[in-house]
Amino acid sequence: MTALEWYVTAGKIGLVIGLLMTVAPIMNWVERRGAAIIQNRVGPNRIGPFGIFQAIPDAIKFLFKEDSIPGHVNGFYYFIAPIIVLIPACMTFAVIPFGDPITIMGQTFKMQTADLNVGFLYIFAMASLGVYGLIIGGWASNNKFALLGSMRSSSQMISYELSLGLSVIGLVMVFSTVELGPMVQKQADVMWQLGPIAIPRWGIFIQPLGCLIFVIASFAEANRLPFDLPEGEPEIVGFHVEYGSMKFATFMMGEYMNMAVASGLIATLYFGGYQMLPGMGTLLDSLQLSPAAYMWSKLALQNISLAFKVGLFMWLFVWVRWTVPRFRYDQLMDLGWKMLFPLALLNVFITAVMIYLGWV
Amino acid sequence: MLVKGKKTLFQDFYFFETLTGMIITLKEFFFGTKVTISYPEERRQYSERLRGQHYIKATNGVENCTACMLCPTVCPSECIHIEAGERQDKEKYPKTFEIDILRCCFCGMCEEACPKDAIKLSTIMEMSTSYRPIYDRAFLSEQRGNK
Ligand code: SF4
Ligand code: SF4
């Protein structure tokens, strides 16, 4: 690799990791403030404008709290469990593309940290690694309630991972690729032209059912309400009862990063990824920039579009959280196995028929 | 108790129910009126009859109390302690007058029992401290209220 490639790669990694690390505190504020507004309260509003820097004292508090390790835990596994939750969550974002390839000094760079030809199979592999963190955390805590919490989480994750994987198969059949870059590029095509409005070939328009199943299953994968049985803050005991201070905060950070990854995936697979929002293309063309400036402003607009879409889905996570109460465990399993799984199979079947008939 | 009712397929999928709920929460998000306040800056209007911090009313700079011991007798929490003494003008007066405010239940019985209109409960309700306060005579003699 040349020096330039090293710089670009390091820059991309820094960007992705940096963004993911900032997501947790920002989402923490959005969640608390959003919850407050939905529940007709005021919410945290003391630190900074609208309380936006609330996360800083929170982090300081977590860092300076006594990091007590209960005497009955298995020290090593107790220590690595939060790390095992955090690292796959960071790594997953690597394959999500955030812009069209750009050319610097004659070399083309893909705006994607790792361009793997296994595409989102990598994401599923990484996402299912996260469950090990929960299990190890529960097991190492040497507490039966923590262990029960992690057992709940593992069965939930396995149940919903099936639907998650199956719902994407329809998309793979339509686009005939598992790589996210080409998939996003194909979503730019126009499906129907309704007068001046062009409906793009976004995943949601081709696979509405698949999109719905994917969204629901990713809620369960990210352990968010209404499927937050693994942790269950208010009443049932979760896998992290024995954790405190920064170790607990690491679990929470992992959860928010999982949320970011899930939102990124929903945006990339079903909502055109970094494809520009309506109106941005017209704006860009009307500016009449030089080729280099055109390329950079296009990249910036694409990044903004992706960030906007991801932010929208993050907000969806928060919004649903303060709307729907938690599912009972049997309801959760019923929904996973009796509704989502058959529907995902049906979706694969319908897609196959439609492709056979040449409709999509 | 688990109540098993008949559910339609739509309800079983929870999807439309969830959507309805989400519309409600979004309405609250945009149009809901706050029911809480930013406390120290904004305050609620409390009743004039609120029973708060005690004080002993004074007339012309002399406290009304004659140490008749009615309030320590009536106090259900037994938190008033009075030692009587004699003033220059041969009037009985409380040499010490202490209220263990942590035991007080703010029932207002002392105020009702007092024949001399001396002990009063003001409308001050912010009384939290970091130590266990005993209100002594000097503290209680501060006039804080219009009762
Ligand atoms: S308010 Fe009630 S409890 Fe408090 S000092 Fe008076 S009589 Fe006793
Ligand atoms: S009842 Fe009134 S006058 Fe009698 S001791 Fe108490 S405060 Fe003083």
Side-chain angles (χ1 to χ4, degrees), chain A residues 130-187:
Chain A
V131 74
Y132 283 96
L134 309 192
I135 294 251
I136 291 175
W139 183 258
S141 293
N142 196 6
N143 173 328
K144 58 187 107 163
F145 295 108
L147 183 60
L148 281 175
S150 54
M151 293 324 280
R152 278 199 303 271
S153 79
S154 59
S155 49
Q156 169 185 331
M157 285 210 164
I158 289 166
S159 312
Y160 280 79
E161 222 156 71
L162 268 176
S163 320
L164 193 74
L166 271 178
S167 61
V168 183
I169 287 184
L171 215 58
V172 177
M173 286 157 78
V174 174
F175 291 127
S176 28
T177 173
V178 291
E179 285 175 74
L180 292 170
M183 206 179 260
V184 173
Q185 275 153 20
K186 281 182 189 169
Q187 291 189 37

Side-chain angles (χ1 to χ4, degrees), chain A residues 40-42 46 319 323 339, chain B residues 22 25 28 34-35 41:
Chain A
N40 292 347
R41 292 185 287 115
V42 177
R46 298 281 149 168
W319 180 11
T323 302
M339 293 297 301
Chain B
M22 281 167 75
T25 41
E28 289 299 326
K34 300 270 167 295
V35 292
E41 293 97 36

